[in-house]
Amino acid sequence: MKVLDVDDKLEHNRFKANMLARRFNPYHLTLTLNPTLACNFACPYCFESSHKALYMTDEVEDNVITFIKKHACVTNLHVTWFGGEPLLAFDRVVSLSRRMLGLGLGYKAGMITNGYLLTPDKASLFEDLKISFVQITVDGSEQTHDSRRYRRDGGCPYRRINNEKAGREQDTCSLFKEHADDFLMLRYDKKRNKT
């Protein structure tokens, strides 16, 4: 397990080079799959709030498998689970992951999530589902994050994601670090990053 810091340019460049090499390899198929457009957060800057809370259907799951099978020369499949919030549709992540694993291809998956809904039960399935990379975005300090990224019920998510003061046995970051090979937390703080 390695924690990557956005300020570490060497690691960032390695990550980018690996992604580009996979992109142009005809034996490698990379998919970004959204099991849902629904989200448990209500971030004012996110496009998801203008979409209906759609969830992937069985028909779409079947179509994903058909699409992969049509790429006969592919020997390696890399999936990134995205959303909305993919942990809201974790049953679909499990179902489709198991079907893709059954195709006999080299398989690796990652997830981009707000991290709030991770539980020890879900995290314990990561190894079997080959989810080895997890990315959580955090918008700066606790005060900044919670003013920009709040739950639909108005609650503040930062402490549950980042430390053990949220009344849970284990915080989200620790669960991801324990159950994923690579863990990347992206922090954006206007004072540090000028755009």
Side-chain angles (χ1 to χ4, degrees):
M1 192 279 308
K2 184 172 191 175
V3 177
L4 303 178
D5 187 328
V6 172
D7 292 332
D8 189 340
K9 290 188 186 242
L10 177 61
E11 288 296 330
H12 176 58
N13 287 337
R14 279 188 196 146
F15 180 77
K16 187 175 177 180
N18 286 335
M19 281 183 36
L20 290 172
R22 283 194 310 264
R23 183 177 295 165
F24 297 106
N25 181 341
Y27 302 105
H28 191 94
L29 180 61
T30 299
L31 300 175
T32 299
L33 299 174
N34 294 11
T36 182
L37 289 178
C39 188
N40 54 319
F41 282 16
C43 307
Y45 57 78
C46 184
F47 78 94
E48 299 295 351
S49 62
S50 64
H51 287 79
K52 293 180 182 177
L54 300 174
Y55 286 79
M56 184 183 288
T57 63
D58 292 340
E59 179 184 4
V60 172
E61 181 174 317
D62 291 342
N63 289 338
V64 170
I65 296 300
T66 300
F67 177 81
I68 295 166
K69 287 178 177 179
K70 285 182 180 178
H71 291 79
C73 69
V74 168
T75 58
N76 291 295
L77 176 61
H78 183 263
V79 170
T80 300
W81 294 102
F82 188 66
E85 172 50 48
L87 292 174
L88 278 171
F90 195 68
D91 289 346
R92 183 64 67 184
V93 171
V94 171
S95 170
L96 188 48
S97 294
R98 289 187 173 148
R99 289 183 69 187
M100 290 184 290
L101 285 163
L103 295 174
L105 303 172
Y107 180 81
K108 186 175 182 180
M111 182 179 288
I112 300 171
T113 173
N114 62 40
Y116 190 81
L117 298 173
L118 186 71
T119 64
D121 289 341
K122 289 175 184 172
S124 69
L125 293 175
F126 279 12
E127 185 176 350
D128 289 341
L129 300 176
K130 306 291 186 203
I131 297 173
S132 60
F133 175 84
V134 177
Q135 176 182 317
I136 299 175
T137 55
V138 177
D139 287 6
S141 67
E142 179 177 357
Q143 181 179 4
T144 301
H145 180 81
D146 286 346
S147 71
R148 293 179 187 164
R149 302 187 74 194
Y150 37 84
R151 298 189 329 246
R152 289 212 177 274
D153 66 5
C156 300
Y158 185 91
R159 287 187 180 204
R160 178 168 171 160
I161 295 167
N162 286 284
N163 65 45
E164 298 176 21
K165 296 177 187 174
R168 292 186 344 162
E169 186 176 312
Q170 196 169 22
D171 65 286
T172 298
C173 290
S174 295
L175 284 170
F176 278 129
K177 289 174 187 176
E178 181 180 329
H179 294 283
D181 294 335
D182 290 318
F183 173 79
L184 174 64
M185 178 179 283
L186 297 177
R187 294 181 187 268
Y188 174 78
D189 188 335
K190 195 173 183 179
K191 294 177 185 174
R192 285 182 53 198
N193 301 301
K194 295 181 182 178
T195 55

